[in-house]
């Protein structure tokens, strides 16, 4: 999942970035409103977390402009302004939730997860499966044929993305945009490298291979050749 964070406080931004990345999110950060609005309008995000008091352009303006272009993007306001009129204004402009600073990261994470479940149009699964491979999204446990597989956070996020798109071919660009927090560079082999290491853990030693390369296109996770 790819999140946009628009926050000018360096300490708070660093705190959120570290926490979300540890949970497997790809996060882009903007420290001022102009850059944040540009990213919100031009990049494919699954959710945005927006402060109100920002340099260049305030959060209310960003939300109003974003809502005119992207009606379904989940938006959480994160602000030190806790007055009722601010909350009402934010919600009326199109935000989906309003969290007042100071806050606990666990609460922000829970609200993000709840909004993502709601925006999906269906209840969020707690488990993803493909053949004999199972991923528990709550305990972050991955098992194949009864064997527990230890994955690094980035490997877990990559496998989760492949499982959520099981049977569909995903390009390197799509993987970079949703698993990493920077844009695709055609000169880099970071995706190929991570896929190789993931295959070593997921497919090596098993008769059926799950992760397949579609030459010139990308990758697909499927249970049959």
């Amino acid at each position: 999942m790819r999140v946009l964070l628009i926050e000018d406080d360096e300490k708070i931004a660093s705190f959120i970035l570290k926490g979300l990345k540890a949970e497997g999110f790809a996060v882009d950060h903007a420290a001022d409103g102009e850059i944040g609005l540009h990213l919100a309008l031009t990049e494919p995000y699954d959710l945005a977390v927006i402060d109100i008091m920002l340099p260049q352009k305030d959060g209310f303006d960003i939300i109003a402009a974003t809502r005119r272009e992207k009606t379904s993007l989940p938006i959480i306001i994160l602000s030190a302004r806790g007055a009722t009129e601010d909350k009402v204004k934010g919600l009326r402009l199109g935000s989906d939730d309003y969290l007042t600073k100071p806050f606990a990261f666990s609460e922000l994470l829970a609200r993000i997860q709840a909004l993502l479940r709601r925006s999906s149009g269906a209840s969020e699964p707690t488990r993803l499966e493909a053949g004999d491979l199972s991923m528990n999204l709550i305990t972050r446990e991955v098992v194949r044929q009864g064997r527990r597989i230890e994955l690094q956070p980035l490997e877990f996020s990559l496998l989760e993305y492949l499982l959520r798109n099981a049977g569909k071919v995903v390009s390197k660009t799509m993987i970079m945009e949703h698993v990493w927090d920077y844009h695709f560079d055609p000169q880099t082999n970071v995706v190929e490298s991570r896929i190789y290491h993931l295959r070593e853990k997921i497919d090596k030693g098993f008769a059926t291979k799950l992760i397949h390369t579609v030459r010139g296109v990308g990758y697909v996770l499927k249970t049959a050749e």
Side-chain angles (χ1 to χ4, degrees):
M1 293 290 181
R2 189 180 180 193
V3 173
L4 171 62
L5 171 64
I6 308 177
E7 169 64 66
D8 65 326
D9 187 302
E10 291 184 8
K11 289 184 178 179
I12 293 176
S14 177
F15 170 65
I16 295 173
L17 285 167
K18 183 178 179 181
L20 289 179
K21 288 180 180 181
E23 291 295 324
F25 288 90
V27 189
D28 289 342
H29 172 231
D32 74 64
E34 289 286 358
I35 295 174
L37 178 58
H38 174 74
L39 289 173
L41 295 179
T42 59
E43 298 295 328
Y45 293 106
D46 299 295
L47 181 139
V49 178
I50 303 174
D51 188 14
I52 295 301
M53 295 181 287
L54 295 163
Q56 307 303 324
K57 187 179 290 291
D58 75 23
F60 289 139
D61 290 337
I62 295 171
I63 292 166
T66 300
R67 271 290 169 260
R68 288 194 290 270
E69 301 292 331
K70 297 184 176 182
T71 58
S72 62
L73 176 69
I75 296 174
I76 297 177
I77 291 176
L78 184 63
S79 176
R81 290 163 59 170
T84 299
E85 54 265 32
D86 289 320
K87 295 180 181 180
V88 170
K89 181 177 180 179
L91 294 170
R92 283 179 172 171
L93 286 172
S95 70
D96 300 282
D97 202 350
Y98 196 115
L99 182 59
T100 304
K101 302 174 184 176
F103 62 96
F105 177 76
S106 58
E107 182 178 4
L108 174 62
L109 178 62
R111 291 179 184 230
I112 287 173
Q113 292 171 332
L115 277 181
L116 290 173
R117 285 196 298 271
R118 190 189 311 168
S119 67
S120 70
S123 60
E124 176 74 2
T126 59
R127 184 182 298 274
L128 299 174
E129 297 179 341
D132 54 10
L133 176 69
S134 174
M135 169 183 281
N136 189 309
L137 296 172
I138 297 176
T139 64
R140 299 180 72 82
E141 183 180 58
V142 176
V143 176
R144 187 168 187 190
Q145 293 184 9
R147 183 194 307 175
R148 183 169 180 171
I149 300 171
E150 297 292 338
L151 298 178
Q152 297 298 318
L154 193 57
E155 293 170 338
F156 187 94
S157 297
L158 176 55
L159 180 60
E160 179 185 354
Y161 184 67
L162 292 173
L163 280 167
R164 288 183 183 276
N165 292 278
K168 302 176 184 177
V169 178
V170 292
S171 67
K172 290 194 294 183
T173 301
M174 293 167 65
I175 292 173
M176 288 288 287
E177 287 183 342
H178 287 84
V179 179
W180 278 266
D181 56 354
Y182 48 87
H183 298 298
F184 174 66
D185 177 356
Q187 304 304 317
T188 185
N189 65 348
V190 64
V191 175
E192 291 91 335
S193 175
R194 289 293 182 174
I195 289 286
Y196 171 80
H197 289 295
L198 186 60
R199 277 177 169 150
E200 286 289 296
K201 296 183 177 182
I202 297 300
D203 283 341
K204 189 174 182 178
F206 295 96
T208 302
K209 307 305 177 185
L210 296 177
I211 302 174
H212 303 268
T213 299
V214 181
R215 293 195 179 279
V217 182
Y219 302 93
V220 59
L221 189 149
K222 59 181 181 178
T223 56
E225 295 293 340

